[in-house]
Amino acid sequence: MIALERPDDPEAFFEHAAALLAEGIAPEHVSWSGGESADLFAAATRAPRAKWRGEKLFAAALLHRAENRFSLVYRALWRAARAKGWLGNPADPDLCALRKLEGEVRRDSHKMRALVRFREIRDAEGERFIAWYEPSHFTLRANADFFAHRFANMRWSIVTPDLSAHYDGEVRFAPGGSRRDVPAEDARDEDWRTYYAAIFNPARLNLAAMQSHLPKKFWRNLPEARVIPTLARAAQNRAEAMIAAPPTAPRFSRASAPQTEAAATDLADLRAQLACCEKCPLHREATQVVCGAGPLNAQLMIVAEQPGDHEDLAGSPLIGPAGKIFDEALRRTGCDREKIYVTNAVKHFKFTLKGKRRIHAKPGAGEIDACSSWLHREIEIVRPKVIVAMGATALRGLTGQILAVRESRGKMFDLAEDRRLLTTTHPAYLLRLQDEQEKRLAWRAFLSDLAQAHAMAQA
Ligand code: URA
């Protein structure tokens, strides 16, 4: 009988598992238990050890709340040690069960990264930000470094029922707490509601999808959740008014939030794989990977640069200020966003911190190249007829070459399999232009490029 002290300590599990395997103790003779409350402090320093094959899968599954997780992982280690190649069997029921646990833990981590909402308090040392959060699994300890990087300039605490994490230059863990330890409201909550109401797109409201991605249990802790019922009630009228309204002049400042349809299996697989991507260091500080969005077999694929702050939080490409310009250009060219596939050359947000703000940083050649296999895989699955590269990063991701946009803009090139590539400027470039005349010309050229690509895709 192995009684682990903490429920969220894969290292302790692996130590015991190694000893059991060395003694040849079969899974059916081991009974595991793990403390149900992760209220012990950081684990003692441990000696370095060799990695297990499949360790990432096992370590994530071990953070699940399922009681059988320890026995499942030990049985997997036992079987992997006895049958070479066993870990590669996609149909094995134990491996399927482990992948399911791992996926649930991964989604729980993503939710935590996106949904923690801090409230400001003052303690003896001054300003502190504190959040109450209820993860479904034991994911706080594994995500504490992420918050330490993201909010390196703040003093913060995240309190969950099992465990609390406190950051004052370094992370310290303490017992869990209760919702009462954290103020229910603060002035920032109103900002969240304003932001949410601004990005809420009534024409894309899908309450069933919203509730499946964001079960009601999370709504309690989200300041913006309070406005959802009101916005939802008004959505149909607002959407009808939008359709009836005459076209407006381009506006460059509001964001819209498209929701992607559940993708076909191959894209779903790609997304699942992408969610684990660690090919370059960008995954460490981004909230989540931002995959492409759009229908399988779209005739037109748009490749932008990388997710920005909005995209990183929402998990959808091109929905922030640059996306707003892009949407307006699509509208002007009669191109339906629902029918095209929109993606980025780099799938994680790269930024530098300026105070508490995350400022976009250009992806480097290494990061673009590391991500290009995902982009090419996306192209193989979607099989678009025409691809539009918006900006130099997209062009590099697609061609592997450093090419100046101004030299190739508006020209069509042939790619393999009868596919055509057109280069245009990135919409963010239009946002940066100061000179009105220059801006007008660049906007017209951008519209003409998109129109050309759209027509070619439909031909
Ligand atoms: N800019 C991009 O290139 N892509 C996004 O998804 C958002 C901003």
Side-chain angles (χ1 to χ4, degrees), residues 198-393:
I199 63 161
F200 180 84
N201 185 341
R204 292 183 190 264
L205 176 66
N206 180 341
L207 274 178
M210 187 188 265
Q211 280 182 28
S212 101
H213 291 301
L214 195 63
K216 281 226 161 151
K217 107 173 191 194
F218 292 104
W219 291 30
R220 285 201 301 255
N221 300 323
L222 290 177
E224 62 270 37
R226 200 192 292 166
V227 293
I228 295 177
T230 320
L231 291 168
R233 268 196 305 275
Q236 190 168 350
N237 287 347
R238 282 183 61 200
E240 281 164 11
M242 279 163 69
I243 292 164
T248 52
R251 287 170 32 193
F252 298 115
S253 57
R254 243 187 53 216
S256 68
Q259 288 165 3
T260 49
E261 294 303 316
T265 335
D266 274 352
L267 280 175
D269 285 350
L270 186 73
R271 290 199 171 109
Q273 290 173 28
L274 254 169
C276 310
C277 178
E278 296 184 356
K279 288 188 185 186
C280 79
L282 295 186
H283 71 276
R284 290 201 203 115
E285 297 187 19
T287 309
Q288 58 188 311
V289 70
V290 178
C291 304
L296 192 66
N297 299 329
Q299 300 289 289
L300 180 58
M301 177 185 274
I302 306 284
V303 183
E305 185 197 54
Q306 62 154 349
D309 189 60
H310 292 75
E311 290 79 11
D312 169 81
L313 294 173
S316 304
L318 268 178
I319 59 163
K324 189 67 193 162
I325 295 186
F326 175 66
D327 281 346
E328 180 59 28
L330 290 182
R331 197 183 65 74
R332 296 283 190 110
T333 45
C335 184
D336 183 353
R337 180 151 178 175
E338 305 264 303
K339 299 205 175 119
I340 63 175
Y341 191 89
V342 179
T343 191
N344 282 301
V346 173
K347 314 284 191 219
H348 281 112
F349 180 31
K350 179 173 180 181
F351 60 90
T352 51
L353 275 176
K354 199 164 183 190
K356 286 166 200 162
R357 288 174 56 221
R358 300 189 300 162
I359 308 295
H360 166 278
K362 252 199 155 352
E367 287 142 1
I368 304 171
D369 294 347
C371 224
S372 76
S373 58
W374 293 119
L375 178 59
H376 286 283
R377 185 79 194 99
E378 242 170 341
I379 295 171
E380 280 164 25
I381 295 170
V382 178
R383 309 187 63 74
K385 212 157 139 187
V386 179
I387 301 177
V388 175
M390 296 201 306
T393 299

